[in-house]
Amino acid sequence: DAGVTQSPTHLIKTRGQQVTLRCSPKSGHDTVSWYQQALGQGPQFIFQYYEEEERQRGNFPDRFSGHQFPNYSSELNVNALLLGDSALYLCASSFGQTYGYTFGSGTRLTVV
Amino acid sequence: AQKVTQAQTEISVVEKEDVTLDCVYETRDTTYYLFWYKQPPSGELVFLIRRNSFDEQNEISGRYSWNFQKSTSSFNFTITASQVVDSAVYFCALSEANNAGNMLTFGGGTRLMVKP
């Protein structure tokens, strides 16, 4: 039973570019949350998707957007990349309103 | 607003020592949930425990134990007889029951190094 799968595992982008990160939830899960974890800090909530809609959003600018597909997989898009966007981006899946989160290993994004 | 503070950024112990990781939280809600996660070098967050605000019973799971005290807004985590495999970053997190997406607010983490 596969857990949460994130791709790519590592990514290097140039300032000003756009990036798309992908997440496949654990089998049986229908909700996907995204977190940003800067080096040496705790994860910060970006947003959560359920039934293909954004259910809750953290304190992140509109440059961060997302999408959830009918198969429950999700994408995180970041436009106009800044050096400060360099971080580990974690995806967590769960079922409905439960707290049974399963986290992926993340995508390490480096903006140069 | 909810906030979690882990004052210990890094702890180093020798194998078999007991170690306690501190967590202090702030919330205005009366119903909330507290969590501990372990983050090994591979990056994924591994769930350890969840407690709700109405259950102040301490919990023990093998070498792990948790002390929840609402009076001091603390939810501390103790590892007894630490092992090298316990080396990781540990995060305490809080979620208020009234937030639509079950958003987790994490502390800054405590890096635990267990030396042989």
Side-chain angles (χ1 to χ4, degrees), chain B residues 23-27 32 34 68-75:
Chain B
C23 172
V24 175
Y25 63 91
E26 296 176 29
T27 177
Y32 53 88
L34 295 165
F68 176 26
Q69 292 195 340
K70 285 178 76 170
S71 60
T72 55
S73 297
S74 65
F75 186 44

Side-chain angles (χ1 to χ4, degrees), chain B residues 74-89:
Chain B
S74 65
F75 186 44
N76 297 337
F77 172 33
T78 297
I79 302 175
T80 303
S82 60
Q83 300 176 0
V84 173
V85 293
D86 295 327
S87 298
V89 181

